[in-house]
């Protein structure tokens, strides 16, 4: 738009800009930095002063305002719950602890940009503590100070000022003070922020080329070094890509690079169970390691309980399910597995509270029918019928519900009805493992 030859073509470029911002904001919150980045670009390369941003000419003032209004899309989406509980200040994670962790994470990202070894799929959910974040904090403060200083000398250092601001703005939505408790760090967060870093590297290489261009031997040395570095990166990339071909190998890498993450051990255990034949003993070791790292029993307890239940260690499995639900009472998958374990051991009465909670949270046909069958199995015929009638109102015309209502109405007093209901409940719940 700056270089458009006519007002008509300039307006079309602005329209394309609005559309791009709208699509970006509708896709990811990180795009909220776009209007600011555009203004900083103009200041660094097009405008003579900060005051000129208020009246930049060529319709840019209206363009800035329009981009800001389009950015309201993100806030509308967040207000509607698009992000859910995966990010924000109300997630229970302290903002200052998350910020300190990001100081470590961003410094780690910068190291990976230089040489991407020791990559990992999952950094876990535990915040960085102690002195681990201090080097990153010092580094980022130095970079921030250098960026601010460069803005005071825009005529000479505008390129560095813009690149520094661009880097921090791209990372701000995910790597600043807004907690994302589901993962303290993720390498994908720096993919876009790599752009200004790479740009600075290219600029530095170009400056060196201009200064040392007459030296032919230097040119050859540069090409040789570039070839060696490129070959090394090619090999490490191929090795890293190969890890994704096997789930067990991938999660063993995560355990090796992030040994303090209980989630890594849980996923390793799950991968081991998917092997043919399942490696249950190794999976049990992984789950117990996850439990050792997580005292809340949020990680490891439920999958280990499943292994113990299959071995007939019912009492130990029940204890693990109880511990999990004590810390996470709304965990429907665990409630279902625990209810299935109790029903298989014949304790339908003890399974009922768990089945009720699952059906209350997720009133699907399957959940309601299993609850009704369990109620009938313990002699609560009237309650079981009421559950089916409720299910019938939620899902009118459902064949399974209507046939079961008819069968219970015809055979409700049959002495074999409770046993038939037990078998029905177990059959329908078998897929909950």
């Amino acid at each position: 738009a700056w270089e458009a030859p006519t007002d008509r073509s300039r307006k079309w470029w602005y329209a394309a800009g609005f559309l791009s911002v709208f699509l970006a904001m509708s896709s990811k919150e990180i795009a909220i930095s776009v209007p600011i980045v555009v203004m900083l670009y103009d200041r660094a390369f097009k405008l003579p002063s900060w005051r000129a941003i208020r009246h930049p000419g060529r319709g840019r003032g209206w363009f800035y305002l329009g981009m800001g209004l389009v950015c309201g899309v993100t806030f509308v989406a967040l207000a509607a719950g698009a992000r859910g509980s995966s990010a924000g200040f109300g997630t229970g994670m302290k903002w200052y602890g998350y910020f300190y962790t990001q100081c470590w994470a961003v410094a780690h990202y910068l190291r990976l940009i230089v040489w991407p070894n020791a990559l990992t799929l999952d950094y876990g959910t535990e915040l960085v503590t102690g002195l681990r974040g201090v080097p990153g904090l010092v580094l980022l403060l130095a970079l921030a100070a250098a960026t601010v200083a460069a803005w005071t000398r825009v005529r000479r250092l505008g390129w560095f000022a813009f690149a520094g601001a661009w880097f921090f703005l791209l990372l701000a939505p995910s790597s600043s003070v807004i907690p994302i408790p589901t993962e303290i760090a993720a390498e994908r967060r720096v993919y876009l922020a790599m752009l200004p870093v790479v740009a600075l590297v290219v600029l530095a290489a170009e400056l060196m080329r201009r200064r040392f261009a007459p030296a032919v031997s230097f040119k050859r040395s540069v090409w040789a070094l570039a070839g060696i570095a490129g070959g090394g990166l090619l090999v490490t990339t191929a090795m890293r890509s190969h890890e994704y071909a096997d789930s067990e190998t991938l999660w063993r890498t995560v355990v090796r690079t992030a040994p303090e993450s209980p989630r890594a051990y849980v996923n390793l255990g799950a991968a081991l169970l998917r092997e043919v034949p399942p490696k249950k003993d190794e999976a049990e070791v992984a789950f117990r390691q996850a439990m050792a790292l997580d005292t809340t029993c949020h990680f490891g307890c439920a999958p280990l309980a499943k292994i113990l239940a299959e071995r007939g260690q019912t009492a130990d499995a029940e204890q693990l399910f109880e511990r999990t639900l004590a810390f996470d009472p709304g965990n429907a998958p665990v409630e279902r597995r625990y209810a299935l374990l109790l029903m298989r051991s014949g304790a339908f009465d003890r399974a009922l509270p768990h089945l009720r909670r699952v059906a209350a949270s997720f009133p699907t046909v399957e959940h309601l029918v299993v609850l009704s069958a369990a109620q009938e199995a313990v002699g609560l015929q009237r309650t079981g019928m009421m559950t089916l009638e409720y299910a019938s109102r939620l899902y009118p015309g459902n064949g399974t519900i209507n046939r079961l209502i008819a069968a219970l109405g015809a055979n409700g007093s049959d002495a074999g009805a409770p046993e038939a209901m037990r078998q029905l409940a177990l059959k329908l719940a078998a897929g909950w493992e």
Side-chain angles (χ1 to χ4, degrees):
W2 271 110
E3 301 167 0
T6 65
D7 288 340
R8 180 182 177 85
S9 61
R10 186 176 303 113
K11 290 177 181 178
W12 278 111
W13 282 116
Y14 285 146
F18 288 137
L19 178 61
S20 298
V21 173
F22 174 78
L23 293 175
M25 294 300 298
S26 300
S27 304
K28 196 72 172 176
E29 297 93 333
I30 192 174
I32 198 170
S33 61
V34 170
I36 302 174
V37 170
V38 171
M39 286 190 288
L40 292 178
Y41 176 88
D42 288 353
R43 173 64 188 96
F45 302 109
K46 298 292 185 180
L47 300 175
S49 67
W50 289 105
R51 184 175 298 177
I53 290 180
R54 294 162 55 184
H55 303 287
R58 291 183 167 247
R60 299 291 283 189
W62 288 106
F63 184 49
Y64 300 154
L65 178 61
M67 285 191 296
L69 293 176
V70 172
C71 283
V73 173
T74 291
F75 297 103
V76 172
L78 288 174
R83 174 58 72 177
S85 59
S86 63
F89 294 107
T91 57
M93 181 175 283
K94 302 297 184 182
W95 68 267
Y96 48 85
Y98 186 78
F99 172 74
Y100 185 69
T101 299
Q102 296 316 296
C103 292
W104 166 85
V106 175
H108 179 65
Y109 298 154
L110 289 172
R111 185 192 69 78
L112 291 179
I113 293 174
V114 176
W115 189 261
N117 70 314
L119 298 170
T120 185
L121 183 67
D122 186 6
Y123 285 88
T125 59
E126 295 298 317
L127 295 176
V128 168
T129 57
L131 299 178
R132 287 180 62 198
V134 172
L137 178 61
V138 173
L139 175 62
L140 293 184
L141 287 176
L143 290 176
T147 300
V148 173
W151 279 114
T152 64
R153 298 170 176 82
V154 178
R155 189 179 297 275
R156 292 183 58 250
L157 298 174
W159 53 273
F160 181 83
F162 175 72
W166 190 15
F167 175 78
F168 284 111
L169 284 170
L170 284 172
L171 282 174
S174 63
S175 305
S176 56
V177 297
I178 304 175
I180 305 178
T182 54
E183 49 185 354
I184 60 159
E187 289 153 9
R188 64 182 180 277
R189 294 176 184 170
V190 79
Y191 290 168
L192 283 177
M194 286 176 61
L195 291 173
V197 178
V198 172
L200 288 179
V201 172
V202 172
L203 283 171
E206 173 63 10
L207 289 174
M208 293 182 66
R209 185 195 68 80
R210 291 180 181 181
R211 177 168 296 183
F212 299 102
V216 178
S217 59
F218 177 79
K219 287 184 178 180
R220 292 175 179 175
S221 300
V222 169
W223 280 111
L225 290 174
I228 294 172
L233 289 170
L234 180 64
V235 172
T236 55
T237 299
M239 293 173 61
R240 174 61 175 166
S241 298
H242 180 69
E243 292 179 354
Y244 279 84
D246 181 74
S247 182
E248 179 185 344
T249 302
L250 181 63
W251 286 107
R252 286 195 184 279
T253 300
V254 176
V255 166
R256 185 171 62 253
T257 54
E260 73 286 349
S261 171
R263 188 165 61 190
Y265 288 96
V266 170
N267 283 300
L268 173 60
L272 290 166
L273 289 178
R274 288 193 296 269
E275 293 291 315
V276 181
K279 301 177 180 179
K280 294 185 179 181
D281 291 338
E282 293 182 55
E284 179 179 349
V285 173
F287 294 142
R288 291 192 182 278
Q289 183 62 42
M291 292 167 56
L293 293 170
D294 174 46
T295 58
T296 67
C297 219
H298 181 72
F299 295 100
C301 286
L304 178 58
K306 181 175 181 291
I307 293 178
L308 297 179
E310 291 175 353
R311 291 177 179 170
Q313 298 174 247
T314 305
D316 293 335
E318 286 187 24
Q319 184 182 23
L320 290 177
F321 278 131
E322 290 285 357
R323 285 181 59 190
T324 303
L325 293 173
F327 286 101
D328 191 8
N331 193 321
V334 174
E335 293 262 22
R336 297 198 313 176
R337 290 181 188 173
Y338 189 22
L340 177 60
L341 174 67
L342 293 172
M343 288 190 293
R344 283 179 171 170
S345 62
F348 278 77
D349 54 337
R350 293 176 56 199
L352 279 178
H354 303 288
L355 294 174
R356 290 194 193 98
R357 282 193 287 270
V358 172
S361 300
F362 303 96
T364 64
V365 172
E366 180 186 60
H367 291 162
L368 291 170
V369 170
V370 171
L371 172 60
S372 172
Q375 291 167 334
E376 293 277 351
V378 298
L380 300 175
Q381 286 88 357
R382 180 174 176 79
T383 305
M385 182 60 77
M386 291 174 62
T387 299
L388 282 178
E389 291 172 349
Y390 171 69
S392 179
R393 291 194 296 272
L394 285 180
Y395 305 97
N398 184 275
T400 300
I401 296 172
N402 291 337
R403 284 193 297 271
L404 192 54
I405 290 176
L408 290 176
N411 305 313
S413 59
D414 191 335
E419 179 59 30
M421 291 298 103
R422 290 189 185 93
Q423 296 305 317
L424 176 63
L426 287 170
K427 179 181 179 181
L428 292 175
W432 295 353
E433 291 184 301

